[in-house]
Amino acid sequence: MRYSKIIIWLLGLLFSLYYSLTAQSQEDILQDLQIDVVYLASDHLQGRETGTIGEELAARYITKRFKQIGLTPKGEGNTYVQPFAFNFSTNPHNKDSEARIGKNIIGLLDNGAPTTVIIGAHFDHIGRGAFGSRFLDGPVVHNGADDNASGVGVLLYLADALKKSNLKNNNYLFIAFSGEELGLYGSKHFVKQPTIALNQVNYMLNMDMVGRLRSDKTLIINGAGTSPVWKETFPKIKGTPIKIETFDSGTGPSDHTSFYLADIPVLHFFTGTHQDYHKPTDDSELINYEGMHEIADFMLALIAQLDKKGKIDFTKTKDDSQRQAASFRVTLGILPDYSYGGEGMLIDAVLDDRPAHAADIQKGDIVIKMGDKKVKDIFDYMEGLSQFNAGDTTTVVIKRGKSELKKKITF
Ligand SMILES: [Zn+2]
């Protein structure tokens, strides 16, 4: 044997020894995912409502896991925690709002790269269902296993996998957001007070509800129009059982919206809504852990495809409300601001040559009444809209600055 051959053989031996010591078996991976989800979605955490002890316990658990994985603290003052204060009104009839403090948990995988990828998932849920519950029979713990212990589980898996990988051309910032369910407060705060320079951010991946992959293995991806790179890259991901269904819009009712509005390319991964959504029965027994693993590996393959691409381009998306619009006979031709937490429905954009545009309704206006229907939030707005047919005329009341204006609309 030549000397160089012996060296190669020795290196091979060392590599396989190293691999057998560090590689996690499929069984270990599924078990880790399950441990994270079962703890976060246990009754002990009381539904993880922002500002409660349940949220605090969840924050401590995620902090411990970030430390274990070896992420660098990137919250405030050398800790993993970024606290934020917000005012929240549980009763829309009541102007008094409650001051609360939430906590984002933030850890960095620093590869010394010029750009950083943000990977996020919210860890808060709706507690005992005082706000946002679809369960009507009194206060009960809403465990939120799919929404969104599942997203946090995938986040922790990705942090560990990226730490061990050779994908070094980006840094990775992992954020477990709080305040999502009450109005995207944690992600809005991070974008306003980022702990890294936002102009270094390459793109943001958000997992919200990734625990119910169905047997046809369809993964919904929102935000596919926020960079031209996304749709070029998806077909290059081979050897995955995942089938994707993409939607262009960069806005939606989850934390990626906050980053899209800061001109950052985003994707939101989602396995679809279900009968346990925002009910006490969103439990860990119903989670598809293999599915979570398949989604996580799909995301790793996507990240690997982009490793040497440098900073990807951002594009604004058009209204992608076909899915919601399908259940309405008419539309106003506006885009709601999903991240708005105040009373009424804030208009983010007005589309040309549609009813709202014709009635001189403008971006920044807040819809507070549609016909006789008072609009306290986006759901009231949708309900209001569903009463009308094409050709109907009604009055829409909007707030513009301090004045209230009545606008006549013809659908
Ligand atoms: Zn959620």
Side-chain angles (χ1 to χ4, degrees):
M1 237 193 287
R2 281 175 48 197
Y3 191 57
S4 60
K5 274 196 178 162
I6 296 174
I7 289 179
I8 289 167
W9 176 78
L10 264 173
L11 280 174
L13 186 72
L14 277 173
F15 179 78
S16 54
L17 190 67
Y18 174 79
Y19 190 77
S20 65
L21 287 174
T22 57
Q24 261 189 312
S25 72
Q26 161 86 357
E27 211 173 305
D28 292 341
I29 290 168
L30 295 184
Q31 198 175 54
D32 284 354
L33 287 170
Q34 190 165 6
I35 290 168
D36 291 334
V37 171
V38 167
Y39 177 73
L40 291 170
S42 64
D43 284 350
H44 184 58
L45 269 62
Q46 295 282 303
R48 311 182 303 278
E49 185 177 322
T50 305
T52 67
I53 181 74
E55 181 221 20
E56 171 66 29
L57 290 171
R60 281 187 209 168
Y61 179 81
I62 296 164
T63 299
K64 190 190 83 187
R65 294 281 284 116
F66 276 11
K67 221 180 268 176
Q68 211 173 53
I69 292 164
L71 301 180
T72 309
K74 212 61 195 173
E76 260 178 30
N78 260 333
T79 73
Y80 292 98
V81 181
Q82 180 187 43
F84 56 92
F86 62 101
N87 286 310
F88 167 68
S89 166
T90 40
N91 178 357
H93 300 279
N94 182 347
K95 285 256 160 70
D96 307 335
S97 55
E98 204 183 307
R100 289 207 190 182
I101 292 185
K103 298 178 179 78
N104 293 328
I105 307 301
I106 311 175
L108 178 69
L109 174 51
D110 190 354
N111 292 322
T115 50
T116 300
V117 172
I118 295 181
I119 300 179
H122 76 87
F123 73 93
D124 65 302
H125 193 50
I126 58 174
R128 296 173 69 84
F131 177 83
S133 175
R134 291 173 60 240
F135 180 74
L136 301 172
D137 298 334
V140 190
V141 174
H142 288 54
N143 301 92
D146 182 33
D147 189 8
N148 185 31
S150 68
V152 177
V154 172
L155 177 103
L156 294 166
Y157 171 81
L158 288 174
D160 192 46
L162 284 166
K163 170 105 183 159
K164 291 171 181 162
S165 79
N166 55 6
L167 303 170
K168 304 291 184 204
N169 293 314
N170 286 290
N171 312 308
Y172 296 93
L173 187 73
F174 298 91
I175 311 179
F177 298 106
S178 189
E180 192 274 349
E181 299 283 9
L182 302 179
L184 314 185
Y185 288 104
S187 55
K188 278 192 235 175
H189 178 81
F190 180 84
V191 169
K192 254 189 245 157
Q193 311 267 324
T195 59
I196 60 164
L198 273 196
N199 60 10
Q200 287 173 12
V201 176
N202 193 348
Y203 57 88
M204 191 270 178
L205 305 179
N206 178 32
M207 291 90 67
D208 192 356
M209 297 174 68
V210 288
R212 297 278 191 118
L213 189 68
R214 293 175 193 152
S215 53
D216 66 2
K217 302 205 187 270
T218 301
L219 176 65
I220 296 162
I221 303 182
N222 295 307
T226 63
S227 172
V229 170
W230 296 136
K231 285 180 191 167
E232 288 164 23
T233 310
F234 294 143
K236 294 182 187 158
I237 298 170
K238 306 281 186 220
T240 172
I242 297 288
K243 292 188 200 82
I244 61 169
E245 190 182 345
T246 62
F247 295 91
D248 283 349
S249 178
T251 58
S254 188
D255 294 308
H256 56 288
T257 302
S258 306
F259 292 85
Y260 169 75
L261 295 174
D263 293 349
I264 293 169
V266 297
L267 291 179
H268 164 218
F269 299 86
F270 177 45
T271 49
T273 192
H274 45 78
Q275 60 186 11
D276 305 304
Y277 171 71
H278 280 204
K279 287 189 179 165
T281 45
D282 178 5
D283 281 326
S284 51
E285 306 87 272
L286 300 171
I287 294 296
N288 177 354
Y289 295 99
E290 267 168 47
M292 282 170 64
H293 185 206
E294 286 162 353
I295 292 164
D297 282 347
F298 176 90
M299 292 176 69
L300 279 177
L302 173 72
I303 291 166
Q305 284 287 339
L306 299 179
D307 187 49
K308 295 198 171 81
K309 279 246 151 100
K311 202 161 184 240
I312 66 172
D313 287 333
F314 169 76
T315 42
K316 273 207 190 314
T317 58
K318 290 209 201 84
D319 180 15
D320 190 32
S321 58
Q322 300 102 319
R323 272 188 303 169
Q324 286 113 320
S327 54
F328 301 112
R329 294 173 291 270
V330 296
T331 66
L332 216 50
I334 57 100
L335 273 186
D337 181 342
Y338 290 100
S339 66
Y340 174 65
E343 190 163 335
M345 193 270 302
L346 174 62
I347 296 175
D348 196 32
V350 178
L351 307 177
D352 288 346
D353 305 322
R354 304 283 290 277
H357 184 249
D360 183 41
I361 290 178
Q362 298 170 9
K363 173 185 163 76
D365 289 346
I366 298 170
V367 175
I368 53 172
K369 206 168 171 195
M370 298 223 8
D372 334 318
K373 174 87 188 160
K374 275 203 173 151
V375 175
K376 280 166 249 130
D377 55 28
I378 192 162
F379 301 106
D380 289 341
Y381 164 70
M382 292 194 199
E383 228 180 285
L385 201 57
S386 67
Q387 308 164 20
F388 299 107
N389 290 303
D392 286 358
T393 293
T394 190
T395 304
V396 173
V397 182
I398 55 159
K399 260 175 115 173
R400 182 178 295 166
K402 281 185 185 146
S403 42
E404 278 187 14
L405 307 171
K406 284 185 183 165
K407 299 285 183 184
K408 200 161 228 159
I409 289 275
T410 305
F411 292 108

